[in-house]
């Protein structure tokens, strides 16, 4: 019913009518009938709305926040959860790759968002966020005040950060890339002169060069490679008993050494599962949390150059017993034309 995998063949659901008090209905249900005079206890997470927590307390429940021990249960994924996470994240990357050949100069950020959403819906995923940023808009890591109307050009650096739900679990991936060069127009051989000039090599330049090599384009290529190297360095640190801080620092060190440290403006990543953002969080101050087998994380370094462009690569990794992190997004980006 809820689309969430369960060990039980059926979920035990308490039914209520809209004119009933939901909190007292739950309190008086069969779920808590065997407690006698004992006060039923309910654990609530940080995202539960305050009016719900207060309503349960008013009905007679004793509410508690998540303890570290309970939180750890959510952080360490079962093999079944890992496979659902693999499916939704690999599928989301595949949707981005399927979208890219449809992109041509003149489309807006909103246009591309619509194409990508259609791709995700076509495979049964439910997109819940979709950030498409072109060129200098990509220097705002998650869009900021972007209104979605910037138009795509041949030399645009495209940043797509997207998440979807499948069977109750979340994807969160990002790709940065260029669109393919425009197709050459078909030649007409009815006029022999262009044909003769072509085979004699007399054209001074190709009709549609893939990119004019400029200082800006060269920097885009350089930053793209630096961010991928930073992601690789972080991936090598997803080891049991390593700290969350060390994973962040591995990526940050690569970017700082390349001279772009000021452009890496956010933490490296976060846990992922039923929610797209779960603890633990990978930031350079999180020295108290150690990684354990079964934890899953985003690995998303980025460099953002104000009024120029941004680059971010994001994939999902599983911490394993043997210390070799397992990629849960199929494959990483291979290049700016092959994300």
């Amino acid at each position: 019913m809820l689309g969430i995998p369960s060990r039980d063949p059926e979920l035990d659901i308490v039914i209520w009518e809209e004119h009933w008090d939901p909190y007292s209905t739950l309190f008086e249900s069969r779920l808590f009938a065997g407690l006698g005079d004992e006060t039923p206890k309910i654990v609530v997470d940080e995202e539960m709305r305050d009016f719900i927590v207060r309503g349960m307390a008013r009905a007679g429940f004793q509410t508690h926040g998540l303890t570290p021990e309970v939180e750890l249960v959510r952080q360490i994924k079962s093999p079944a959860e890992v496979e659902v996470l693999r499916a939704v994240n690999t599928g989301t990357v595949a949707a981005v790759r399927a979208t890219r050949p449809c992109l041509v100069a003149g489309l807006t950020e909103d246009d591309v968002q619509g194409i990508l959403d259609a791709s995700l819906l076509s495979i049964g995923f439910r997109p819940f966020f979709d950030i498409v940023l072109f060129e200098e808009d990509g220097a705002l890591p998650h869009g900021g005040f972007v209104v979605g109307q910037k138009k795509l050009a041949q030399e645009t650096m495209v940043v797509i950060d997207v998440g979807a739900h499948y069977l109750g679990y979340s994807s969160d991936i990002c790709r940065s890339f260029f669109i393919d060069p425009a197709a050459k127009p078909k030649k007409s051989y009815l006029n022999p002169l262009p044909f003769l000039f072509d085979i004699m090599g007399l054209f001074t330049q190709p009709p549609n060069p893939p990119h004019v090599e400029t200082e800006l384009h060269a920097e885009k290529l350089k930053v793209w490679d630096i961010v991928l190297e930073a992601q690789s360095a972080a991936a090598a640190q997803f080891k049991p008993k390593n700290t969350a801080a060390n994973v962040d620092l591995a990526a940050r060190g690569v970017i700082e050494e390349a001279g772009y440290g000021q452009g890496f403006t956010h933490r490296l990543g976060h846990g992922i599962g039923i929610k797209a953002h779960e603890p633990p969080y990978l930031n350079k101050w999180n020295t108290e949390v150690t990684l354990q087998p079964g934890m899953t994380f985003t690995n998303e370094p980025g460099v953002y150059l104000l009024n120029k462009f941004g680059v971010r690569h994001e994939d999902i990794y599983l911490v394993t017993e043997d210390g070799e992190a397992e990629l849960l997004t199929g494959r990483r980006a291979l290049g700016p034309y092959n994300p």
Side-chain angles (χ1 to χ4, degrees):
M1 178 177 177
L2 302 178
I4 298 175
S6 172
R7 291 187 177 90
D8 300 318
E10 294 184 4
L11 296 176
D12 195 355
I13 298 168
V14 176
I15 298 172
W16 66 287
E17 299 286 346
E18 284 192 67
H19 56 280
W20 298 352
D21 180 339
Y23 313 110
S24 59
T25 299
L26 180 63
F27 186 84
E28 295 164 4
S29 72
R30 64 188 178 279
L31 298 183
F32 303 100
L35 294 180
D37 294 332
E38 185 180 349
T39 301
K41 298 177 176 63
I42 294 284
V43 175
V44 297
D45 75 5
E46 69 279 3
E47 290 195 358
M48 184 165 286
R49 295 181 179 183
D50 179 65
F51 77 87
I52 297 176
V53 177
R54 287 186 284 109
M56 289 193 295
R58 188 174 62 249
F61 289 104
Q62 191 178 104
T63 60
H64 299 270
L66 290 183
T67 64
E69 293 78 15
V70 173
E71 185 62 54
L72 192 60
V73 172
R74 184 167 65 177
Q75 292 173 13
I76 298 177
K77 308 302 190 285
S78 70
E81 289 179 301
V82 169
E83 292 311 312
V84 177
L85 284 168
R86 189 195 311 277
V88 67
N89 282 280
T90 301
T92 303
V93 172
V96 173
R97 292 191 181 123
T99 297
R100 183 176 167 274
C102 304
L103 306 189
V104 294
L107 292 176
T108 67
E109 293 158 324
D110 281 350
D111 291 334
V112 175
Q113 187 179 66
I115 296 169
L116 178 55
D117 283 349
S119 297
L120 290 164
L121 291 167
S122 73
I123 57 175
F125 288 6
R126 292 187 295 107
F128 63 93
F129 81 91
D130 188 345
I131 301 169
V132 177
L133 304 170
F134 295 163
E135 208 67 353
E136 64 267 24
D137 285 355
L140 302 169
H142 294 92
F145 298 102
V146 171
V147 295
Q149 295 306 303
K150 188 169 182 60
K151 290 190 175 182
L152 183 61
Q154 204 65 47
E155 67 279 2
T156 296
M157 176 63 76
V158 179
V159 178
I160 293 181
D161 190 349
V162 57
H165 288 139
Y166 178 64
L167 295 178
Y169 286 76
S170 303
S171 65
D172 185 1
I173 64 95
C174 185
R175 289 294 185 268
S176 303
F177 57 85
F178 297 114
I179 61 173
D180 289 326
K184 293 183 179 181
K186 293 181 179 179
K187 297 182 178 68
S188 171
Y189 297 111
L190 296 178
N191 181 352
L193 287 180
F195 171 67
L196 291 173
F197 288 164
D198 193 8
I199 62 174
M200 294 169 64
L202 297 180
F203 283 124
T204 56
Q205 64 180 34
N208 289 291
H211 277 112
V212 177
E213 188 60 40
T214 63
E215 185 176 334
L216 178 60
H217 184 67
E219 187 173 29
K220 290 175 184 176
L221 297 175
K222 176 184 176 183
V223 169
W224 197 100
D225 287 339
I226 290 168
V227 175
L228 190 70
E229 183 184 349
Q231 192 190 47
S232 299
Q237 295 300 314
F238 282 118
K239 298 178 182 298
K241 299 183 180 180
N242 199 5
T243 68
N246 283 343
V247 185
D248 178 285
L249 289 169
R252 203 166 297 278
V254 171
I255 293 172
E256 289 176 349
E257 187 176 343
Y260 288 96
Q262 81 289 348
F264 186 8
T265 56
H266 55 73
R267 67 189 175 211
L268 177 70
H270 50 81
I272 184 170
I274 292 174
K275 296 192 296 186
H277 285 228
E278 296 182 355
Y281 295 97
L282 303 175
N283 66 69
K284 62 183 179 180
W285 302 111
N286 198 359
T287 58
E288 301 299 319
V289 171
T290 56
L291 278 52
Q292 297 190 39
M295 289 182 172
T296 49
F297 293 95
T298 66
N299 180 359
E300 48 180 311
V303 169
Y304 312 96
L305 304 180
L306 194 61
N307 298 321
K308 295 171 77 173
F309 65 92
V311 173
R312 179 162 69 256
H313 305 314
E314 181 177 10
D315 288 278
I316 309 302
Y317 286 85
L318 168 70
V319 180
T320 66
E321 291 276 3
D322 64 12
E324 186 73 26
E326 184 177 345
L327 183 66
L328 298 183
T329 39
R331 72 160 172 82
R332 297 166 64 202
L334 299 179
Y337 292 93
N338 188 1

